[in-house]
Amino acid sequence: MRESRMRQPLGRAVRASLCVLLLACLALAGCSPAARPGGSSGPGAREETSPASPAAVSRTIEAAALSAGYLVQAVGEDGRFAYLVNMNPDVEVADDYNILRHAGTIYSMAQYYALEPDPAVLEAMLRAGAYLRDEALGPVPDGEDMLAVWSDPAEDRDIPEQAKLGGAGLGLVALCSIEQARPGFTPLEDLRKLGRFITYLQKDDGSYHSKYIPSAGGRQDEWISLYYPGEAALGLAMLHELDTEGGWLEPAARSIEYLALEREGQAEVPADHWVLLATDTIFHEAGPDELPVSRELFFSHALRISEGMLAEQIVDPGKPVLYGGFTRDGRTTPTSTRLEGLQAVLGFLPEDHERRPAIESAVERGISFLLRSQVTEGEFAGAFPRSVRRMQGDSEEAREFNEEATEVRIDYVQHALSALVANIRLETAE
């Protein structure tokens, strides 16, 4: 079994080469690392460079460092993030908080820390992790051997206390990620209890109950989430990395098997990047005889998801603002998540596979889109806005979209940072 590629620090030689590339890029721009160039502070401030070139890799490194810095500044003393802000001071933002996105953001910080062990990132990540571990993790009435990540109902919404499958999945992803940087941060038995809650929510066919609501009788499956099963599978696979004898790989694999079989007859397969991340982890964790399901089924399922993603990408040179993105409304996060998924596929796709060049080209275009989209100066340096374009007209729909276009939510930065880190690893692989 392999060392975790996403969470282990790079070797000294690779890290040194990254620093050299970054310094070269900054020198070309006429500045030092402590004195960044002036210019536009909004999306589109970066000039075009091929992501395969040394200068482009350096810019990706710089972009990842900026986003990691944004998240460090966003973590309060209590461990909560500045969840949602708007770069337009005239726009009022809602006082929301989502513990699933909190956990996902910790995951991206851990990925960056594994790439570049920055003490400031570690300190902020541990504060955010402590909030997740100490404030959101709690017992489950149906069993003393389980823990769940509990979502707090918003004050103005009539939502009962509940624990979501996605919360347990991403909570496990976050806390297992922290273990790579700070072993023992969460007791292994608590991680196991969180894993047991996920398997408690799993049905015999590999599918899941999406929620656990004590006041409604416990497990609930009336509402189905697209992403929760993949998040749960990734969490279990990462727990397997820490607890190889715990039996976590089988329920993780059965999660993917269920989705693959269910989607075989569908004309279109959803852009489920969490499943691709989980598939990559499972493939690299399972030995030849350890995967209890068909590798061919997993492989074909991953390729079907990838093909759907590739078909969405905007490749019209006549649309320079949107070029390389994956939505016509200019939202940044759908591009980030698709890049995460496609780069995960590159992690297990054979070098000589016929679809590898197409996926690599799509990734290059997508990374270029992200580099153009990132805010590079000022108070929001490192942030990614919701959208890089504005809707024309004066309709209520247009006004609402344009107000939200300048908002920055932590998951917008999280997914972009994860995509950038994955790209750096691919481009600098030895």
Side-chain angles (χ1 to χ4, degrees):
M1 285 181 285
R2 57 137 186 179
E3 292 291 326
S4 173
R5 295 173 306 149
M6 297 299 291
R7 290 168 289 279
Q8 293 295 326
L10 295 177
R12 289 185 178 180
V14 176
R15 286 185 55 205
S17 68
L18 295 183
C19 292
V20 170
L21 284 171
L22 177 54
L23 290 171
C25 173
L26 292 170
L28 288 172
C31 65
S32 68
R36 298 177 57 254
S40 172
S41 62
R46 300 174 183 270
E47 65 179 26
E48 284 290 333
T49 302
S50 168
S53 71
V57 175
S58 296
R59 279 176 36 190
T60 307
I61 295 168
E62 181 189 10
L66 278 176
S67 289
Y70 177 89
L71 292 178
V72 167
Q73 295 300 318
V75 182
E77 290 300 319
D78 62 355
R80 284 167 61 100
F81 289 92
Y83 177 75
L84 177 66
V85 299
N86 200 301
M87 296 186 293
N88 182 350
D90 295 329
V91 177
E92 187 175 340
V93 297
D95 186 22
D96 293 336
Y97 206 82
N98 185 302
I99 196 64
L100 278 70
R101 294 182 179 126
H102 177 106
T105 304
I106 292 172
Y107 173 49
S108 70
M109 296 176 78
Q111 289 175 305
Y112 180 80
Y113 182 77
L115 180 76
E116 181 56 46
D118 182 340
V121 174
L122 177 63
E123 195 276 333
M125 178 179 69
L126 293 180
R127 265 187 290 132
Y131 178 85
L132 172 65
R133 181 196 61 197
D134 300 338
E135 301 298 329
L137 204 62
V140 178
D142 284 353
E144 294 182 357
D145 62 342
M146 295 187 292
L147 288 171
V149 173
W150 292 91
S151 298
D152 288 333
E155 294 181 1
D156 59 343
R157 297 169 64 189
D158 185 21
I159 296 178
E161 182 182 41
Q162 58 188 269
K164 301 174 182 177
L165 171 66
L170 288 178
L172 199 50
V173 165
L175 294 174
C176 287
S177 296
I178 291 176
E179 288 301 303
Q180 301 291 333
R182 183 60 61 85
F185 181 81
T186 304
L188 179 58
E189 185 54 32
D190 285 352
L191 298 175
R192 288 169 174 159
K193 288 180 178 181
L194 194 51
R196 291 188 197 112
F197 178 66
I198 293 176
T199 60
Y200 175 69
L201 294 179
Q202 190 171 40
K203 301 178 184 179
D204 291 340
D205 62 2
S207 65
Y208 287 98
H209 298 86
S210 292
K211 295 182 179 181
Y212 178 87
I213 306 176
S215 63
R219 293 174 288 192
Q220 306 292 311
D221 60 3
E222 289 81 5
W223 178 78
I224 304 297
S225 166
L226 169 61
Y227 298 122
Y228 286 3
E231 293 164 349
L234 180 59
L236 291 173
M238 291 177 65
L239 179 56
H240 171 82
E241 293 180 345
L242 300 174
D243 185 26
T244 56
E245 302 301 320
W248 307 111
L249 207 57
E250 180 175 351
R254 288 198 297 113
S255 306
I256 310 299
E257 180 187 38
Y258 173 83
L259 293 172
L261 292 172
E262 182 187 46
R263 293 166 177 171
E264 274 190 324
Q266 297 178 1
E268 296 183 2
V269 181
D272 193 344
H273 68 285
W274 287 112
V275 158
L276 297 180
L277 291 166
T279 299
D280 181 37
T281 302
I282 291 170
F283 269 171
H284 286 89
E285 283 300 308
D289 302 320
E290 289 184 281
L291 194 63
V293 297
S294 166
R295 283 181 176 266
E296 290 73 20
L297 177 66
F298 273 35
F299 194 83
S300 63
H301 179 228
L303 282 180
R304 288 194 67 202
I305 296 175
S306 300
E307 292 296 341
M309 291 177 170
L310 294 178
E312 294 177 325
Q313 191 172 41
I314 298 170
V315 295
D316 181 0
K319 301 182 184 298
V321 173
L322 302 178
Y323 184 79
F326 287 80
T327 64
R328 298 192 178 278
D329 60 7
R331 286 176 297 136
T332 58
T333 302
T335 293
S336 300
T337 57
R338 282 154 180 77
L339 289 173
E340 288 179 85
L342 291 172
Q343 291 178 117
V345 172
L346 291 176
F348 58 82
L349 197 66
E351 290 292 334
D352 60 351
H353 193 277
E354 62 180 359
R355 296 305 289 161
R356 191 175 184 95
I359 295 175
E360 289 176 338
S361 295
V363 168
E364 289 183 358
R365 289 189 291 265
I367 291 294
S368 183
F369 172 87
L370 287 185
L371 293 176
R372 299 195 311 270
S373 303
Q374 188 186 44
V375 179
T376 60
E377 294 285 353
E379 177 185 358
F380 302 102
F384 286 83
R386 182 174 186 267
S387 176
V388 296
R389 69 172 301 178
R390 303 296 178 266
M391 187 177 292
Q392 300 299 313
D394 194 37
S395 65
E396 182 177 353
E397 178 186 9
R399 288 194 299 273
E400 289 182 358
F401 182 89
N402 292 339
E403 286 184 352
E404 294 176 348
T406 50
E407 76 179 16
V408 179
R409 205 169 61 192
I410 54 172
D411 55 312
Y412 304 166
V413 184
Q414 163 213 330
H415 288 296
L417 178 57
S418 291
L420 293 170
V421 168
N423 190 251
I424 294 167
R425 289 193 173 278
L426 284 172
E427 295 292 346
T428 58
E430 294 181 316

